[in-house]
Amino acid sequence: MLFVTCFLSFIPHVLYYPEIADRMNVVIEMIVMKELNKTFPDNVTAVNNVSLHIAPGEAVALIGANGAGKTTLIKLICGMCKPTSGYLRVFGEDPMKRGKNTPLTGLVSGAVITDSYSFHYGHSSSVLQDDMMLGLNLEMIGNIYRIPKKLVKQRTAEFAEAFGLKELMHYRIAQLSLGQRMKAELAAVLLFSPKLLMLDEPFVGVDATSRLAIGRALNDLVSKGDTTLILTTHSMIEAEQICKRIILLDGGKLAYNGSIDRLKRSRIGLNRLDASFEDTPPDLGDLPVTRYTAENYALSVEYDVSDIPSSDIAGYIIKNSKAKDIMIEKPAVEKIIRELYKEGQNGNDDKC
């Protein structure tokens, strides 16, 4: 019993110190950070005391308002800027001292001009050359990463079909629109199958059809479990479709770190029911609803499902009136996120 207790207390040290994990043959977390800080010379703290783990093969949505610290955190993970203080390991190594044998990392960014992200020990963004055609770019990337020509041809055909790039293969990169370039860069990065893929606002300028195609491609990638994905986005639709976990930054601080399902359960909020009728709406005075309004053959109800299930309200309405249409709206994740932002602005520390 004493041995088990001592061993369990030792686990955090294994996670934070890879050299111990190596000796014990323990699987290292993909990314580990503890009390990580980044303050720029103008005294702006972009990342403030952030501690978290990201496991191999996990898909994580990194969200937050503009200026929350998302892009700075991505740059810290990539080794593009040095932390002011704290502990950070990626693949069990210091990102600032990664070697040539470090597993490949892919980065695509629509938040800033991606050319400003330089090539650094096996990770890249904007691997595309402006003065070369897209097809030649992908062929060159295949040669750089020593990918078999047959596999390059197969993957290029798959991405061209999925992302609508077939007609653009003979266009120079400089001729592409922002949305077309984002799709081309994503195809280029996926070509060499990175172990860690970071997408910083990848849907900027991308049309609705292509967004769905990219979402499907990322879901397929995540389902294989070979790639760890970090997605920063302002769209909770894409975040929910692709990721199971949310990391919410607010003013550089960690405001929430957990599953989307847990966020919904902890911040369930009020459901809303709207109904239309052939005649006068029923009186809901005896039901435990939060509030309701009835006028012009229409009814709007807000209620907490912990007080009364949706089926009970709908059943009561159908039984006591001539309802034409009933629609129930559950609280959206975007609304919950907005509430968390407001709490942060009001200085409320009671966050999930």
Side-chain angles (χ1 to χ4, degrees):
M1 186 68 176
L2 178 61
F3 171 76
V4 173
T5 304
C6 293
F7 179 77
L8 289 175
S9 66
F10 187 63
I11 289 177
H13 298 283
V14 174
L15 294 174
Y16 287 127
Y17 297 98
E19 61 273 13
I20 300 177
D22 289 341
R23 292 198 295 269
M24 295 182 63
N25 196 27
V26 175
V27 176
I28 301 173
E29 297 280 8
M30 175 66 73
I31 299 171
V32 178
M33 57 186 73
K34 184 177 181 182
E35 298 175 357
L36 190 66
N37 294 279
K38 177 60 182 178
T39 301
F40 290 99
D42 56 0
N43 290 324
V44 173
T45 300
V47 175
N48 191 343
N49 202 38
V50 173
S51 299
L52 57 86
H53 299 167
I54 297 177
E58 192 172 8
V60 176
L62 180 60
I63 63 176
N66 292 330
K70 303 186 300 297
T71 298
T72 300
L73 190 61
I74 291 290
K75 289 184 176 182
L76 288 169
I77 293 171
C78 289
M80 294 178 182
C81 61
K82 187 177 181 180
T84 304
S85 63
Y87 179 91
L88 174 62
R89 290 295 182 269
V90 181
F91 298 113
E93 301 175 336
D94 182 344
M96 299 296 294
K97 301 176 182 178
R98 291 165 62 186
K100 293 182 179 179
N101 294 324
T102 299
L104 295 174
T105 299
L107 171 63
V108 175
S109 176
V112 296
I113 299 175
T114 47
D115 287 335
S116 65
Y117 283 167
S118 60
F119 193 88
H120 178 79
Y121 291 118
H123 89 258
S124 62
S125 178
S126 192
V127 293
L128 302 174
Q129 302 298 309
D130 280 349
D131 56 348
M132 289 177 59
M133 291 184 294
L134 174 56
L136 289 177
N137 263 286
L138 297 178
E139 186 178 329
M140 179 186 70
I141 291 166
N143 291 331
I144 291 173
Y145 291 97
R146 299 180 181 179
I147 306 171
K149 292 186 182 294
K150 184 177 180 180
L151 185 56
V152 171
K153 187 175 181 180
Q154 175 188 329
R155 289 179 178 173
T156 298
E158 289 174 358
F159 297 141
E161 178 69 30
F163 300 159
L165 298 174
K166 275 185 177 181
E167 307 300 323
L168 303 176
M169 286 297 170
H170 297 291
Y171 280 71
R172 289 184 297 109
I173 300 303
Q175 295 176 296
L176 302 182
S177 67
L178 175 60
Q180 290 170 337
R181 177 161 184 150
M182 291 304 302
K183 293 187 290 184
E185 286 200 17
L186 184 57
V189 170
L190 292 177
L191 194 65
F192 58 83
S193 300
K195 288 296 183 183
L196 173 60
L197 177 59
M198 286 172 285
L199 304 179
D200 191 8
E201 299 292 350
F203 298 104
V204 172
V206 178
D207 60 87
T209 302
S210 297
R211 291 168 84 102
L212 291 174
I214 291 173
R216 285 194 295 269
L218 294 178
N219 276 323
D220 290 342
L221 182 71
V222 169
S223 66
K224 295 175 183 177
D226 296 328
T227 300
T228 302
L229 173 66
I230 301 177
L231 170 67
T232 76
T233 179
H234 287 290
S235 171
M236 285 308 304
I237 296 176
E238 274 87 17
E240 282 193 86
Q241 288 175 343
I242 300 167
C243 306
K244 300 295 185 185
R245 176 180 164 199
I246 286 178
I247 295 173
L248 173 64
L249 292 181
D250 184 12
K253 295 181 179 180
L254 190 63
Y256 177 81
N257 178 20
S259 70
I260 295 177
D261 289 339
R262 182 164 72 87
L263 179 63
K264 286 180 176 179
R265 288 195 302 270
S266 62
R267 299 275 178 156
I268 193 64
L270 298 177
N271 279 17
R272 179 188 175 96
L273 181 148
D274 292 303
S276 59
F277 304 88
E278 294 180 5
D279 52 19
T280 305
D283 183 4
L284 304 184
D286 294 332
L287 297 182
V289 299
T290 303
R291 66 183 66 90
Y292 76 95
T293 57
E295 58 182 351
N296 299 329
Y297 304 110
L299 177 69
S300 179
V301 188
E302 290 185 355
Y303 60 97
D304 192 325
V305 291
S306 62
D307 295 329
I308 180 170
S310 299
S311 58
D312 286 1
I313 296 182
Y316 181 90
I317 291 173
I318 293 171
K319 182 180 179 180
N320 294 281
S321 67
K322 295 181 179 179
K324 294 168 58 180
D325 183 49
I326 296 176
M327 182 176 67
I328 297 175
E329 180 183 352
K330 296 182 179 180
V333 175
E334 288 190 353
K335 182 178 179 181
I336 297 172
I337 296 299
R338 285 197 299 270
E339 290 175 356
L340 285 173
Y341 287 154
K342 288 179 182 178
E343 289 182 10
Q345 292 168 359
N346 293 333
N348 185 355
D349 295 327
D350 185 22
K351 295 174 182 174
C352 301

